[in-house]
Amino acid sequence: KLFFLLIVVILISITTSIPVDNSLNDETPCSVNDQEKYVSTQSLLSVSTQKLTEYPSSSPYVGELTFSNMEDIIHPINQNTIINIAAPWCPVSSAFEPIFNQVAEKLAVRADLKFLNANGDNDVELRHILKITQYPSVLIIPKGADFAAAAITSDHVIKFTGSRSVSTLVEWIEKNTPAGSMPVTTETVSKK
């Protein structure tokens, strides 16, 4: 028994002295070019028991966006669209997904908000149009934006740059999509 206890103590001291790479924490976004690094690290270390292909999970409050369904699903005349563009291989995307789902559930009472997930790896055209360089990226296509899938650019969207928490994201959405606000059009601008 003493020998076994000694082995356990030695193993614990060895594993606690191994340096930890803090560059893969939840606050560091994944670059769109980092897939090889994260996939090889994931398989090498077997860090997660979750399969990489399980993103995004279903939520009754979050729909799926692709470039091909964009014009059918985004309605900026009467709706603000909040989009989470992520990648299944990115650990930050996986960690952020439940937060995004909680925000969607919390703000579900607002009929003027629509929450969507998009897989940036599967939809390269959408990623390029919106100039997505890191995952996850959260965007708002505001109510009243001049919208057509062929004409949309990153100028039509508001990008989130805050910390990834439910409260920060809710605050940012409420600030950028005031409830009951009129869509921005040339008529409302000229009346001001």
Side-chain angles (χ1 to χ4, degrees):
K1 290 183 179 184
L2 184 60
F3 178 73
F4 179 71
L5 184 59
L6 182 62
I7 297 294
V8 170
V9 170
I10 291 171
L11 287 174
I12 290 173
S13 66
I14 290 172
T15 57
T16 57
S17 66
I18 297 173
V20 176
D21 180 7
N22 289 325
S23 66
L24 301 180
N25 65 31
D26 283 348
E27 290 300 316
T28 306
C30 305
S31 164
V32 295
N33 301 318
D34 283 347
Q35 180 176 9
E36 185 64 35
K37 175 174 80 173
Y38 286 101
V39 170
S40 64
T41 302
Q42 183 93 17
S43 63
L44 187 65
L45 299 177
S46 301
V47 173
S48 175
T49 58
Q50 184 179 40
K51 294 178 185 171
L52 291 172
T53 56
E54 289 183 1
Y55 183 85
S57 72
S58 61
S59 165
Y61 305 102
V62 181
E64 184 179 349
L65 175 67
T66 64
F67 183 77
S68 60
N69 75 2
M70 197 175 203
E71 288 187 15
D72 296 330
I73 203 165
I74 297 176
H75 306 286
I77 289 175
N78 60 1
Q79 205 167 46
N80 296 291
T81 306
I82 297 88
I83 306 167
N84 174 30
I85 300 176
W89 51 263
C90 173
V92 184
S93 294
S94 296
F96 180 68
E97 179 193 357
I99 294 169
F100 188 75
N101 290 343
Q102 287 175 26
V103 170
E105 182 176 357
K106 186 172 185 166
L107 296 175
V109 295
R110 290 195 43 196
D112 67 321
L113 299 179
K114 180 179 260 185
F115 288 83
L116 302 170
N117 272 326
N119 184 325
D121 270 0
N122 287 348
D123 210 330
V124 176
E125 191 169 8
L126 180 66
R127 185 180 78 210
H128 285 282
I129 287 171
L130 297 174
K131 295 183 175 38
I132 302 301
T133 59
Q134 64 186 25
Y135 300 123
S137 288
V138 180
L139 317 167
I140 294 174
I141 297 178
K143 190 186 313 185
D146 183 16
F147 179 80
I152 195 157
T153 66
S154 60
D155 298 333
H156 293 95
V157 301
I158 303 166
K159 290 190 178 187
F160 179 70
T161 57
S163 67
R164 294 177 195 93
S165 70
V166 172
S167 60
T168 305
L169 198 55
V170 166
E171 183 180 312
W172 175 75
I173 291 168
E174 288 177 341
K175 177 184 170 205
N176 288 289
T177 64
S181 65
M182 292 295 295
V184 178
T185 63
T186 53
E187 290 178 24
T188 57
V189 171
S190 63
K191 288 181 183 178
K192 290 184 178 180

